[in-house]
Amino acid sequence: MKVTVLVRPKPGILDPQGEAVRGSLEHLGFAVSEARVGRLVDLEVDAASADEARSAAERMCEQLLANPLMESFTVEVVGA
Amino acid sequence: MKVTVLVRPKPGILDPQGEAVRGSLEHLGFAVSEARVGRLVDLEVDAASADEARSAAERMCEQLLANPLMESFTVEVVGA
């Protein structure tokens, strides 16, 4: 089952990579007042149902894919 | 206007980071047959309409946010 995990820096957490992207975009002439950079992970999970796949992906985030102190995550089961 | 850009490695392009994530998840006991790692960028774009924001974000991807040889991108205008 295909699952997409989105990991974002929490509000208030400094994001130097996002700040660098914002500066570069501004330099290129784009009107961008904020940029925040996160990660996405596309997974193929062996699960019997969408609920099971979602639950497994949430545990993966807690254990490996996200840093709960600094990052929030969302899980989307593709086609569910 | 809030825009989310998702950048993924194209099919067929090697993704060593994804392969490492897959191995680690397997080691933790998760049944994951594939993992691919990409980036997400949340932007606050100064634009008069959703179409204008989308068009600007697509040009940002072409010029800075994605490597068109190795990566594909999708643009989502939040709330549009």
Side-chain angles (χ1 to χ4, degrees):
Chain A
M1 205 155 274
K2 290 194 185 303
V3 178
T4 296
V5 170
L6 304 179
V7 180
R8 295 177 155 96
K10 285 186 178 175
I13 295 287
L14 276 180
D15 175 23
Q17 195 182 355
E19 188 48 36
V21 165
R22 196 201 59 73
S24 296
L25 288 171
E26 194 174 63
H27 194 73
L28 288 169
F30 293 108
V32 172
S33 60
E34 193 177 22
R36 307 271 289 171
V37 175
R39 293 188 302 290
L40 78 83
V41 188
D42 287 324
L43 299 165
E44 181 67 45
V45 181
D46 183 10
S49 68
D51 278 355
E52 192 185 301
R54 177 184 304 278
S55 160
E58 286 172 356
R59 280 179 285 122
M60 292 177 213
C61 287
E62 287 156 9
Q63 292 182 41
L64 183 80
L65 300 178
N67 174 347
L69 295 176
M70 301 169 66
E71 294 170 330
S72 62
F73 62 82
T74 58
V75 171
E76 295 168 11
V77 182
V78 178
Chain B
M1 204 155 276
K2 289 195 186 302
V3 178
T4 296
V5 170
L6 303 179
V7 180
R8 295 177 156 96
K10 285 186 177 174
I13 295 287
L14 277 180
D15 175 23
Q17 195 182 357
E19 189 48 35
V21 165
R22 195 201 59 75
S24 297
L25 289 171
E26 194 173 62
H27 194 74
L28 288 168
F30 292 108
V32 172
S33 59
E34 192 176 23
R36 307 272 290 172
V37 176
R39 293 188 302 288
L40 78 83
V41 187
D42 287 323
L43 299 165
E44 181 67 45
V45 180
D46 183 10
S49 68
D51 278 353
E52 191 185 302
R54 178 185 305 278
S55 160
E58 287 173 354
R59 280 180 284 123
M60 292 178 213
C61 288
E62 288 157 9
Q63 293 182 40
L64 184 81
L65 300 177
N67 173 347
L69 294 175
M70 301 169 66
E71 294 170 328
S72 61
F73 62 82
T74 58
V75 171
E76 296 168 12
V77 181
V78 178

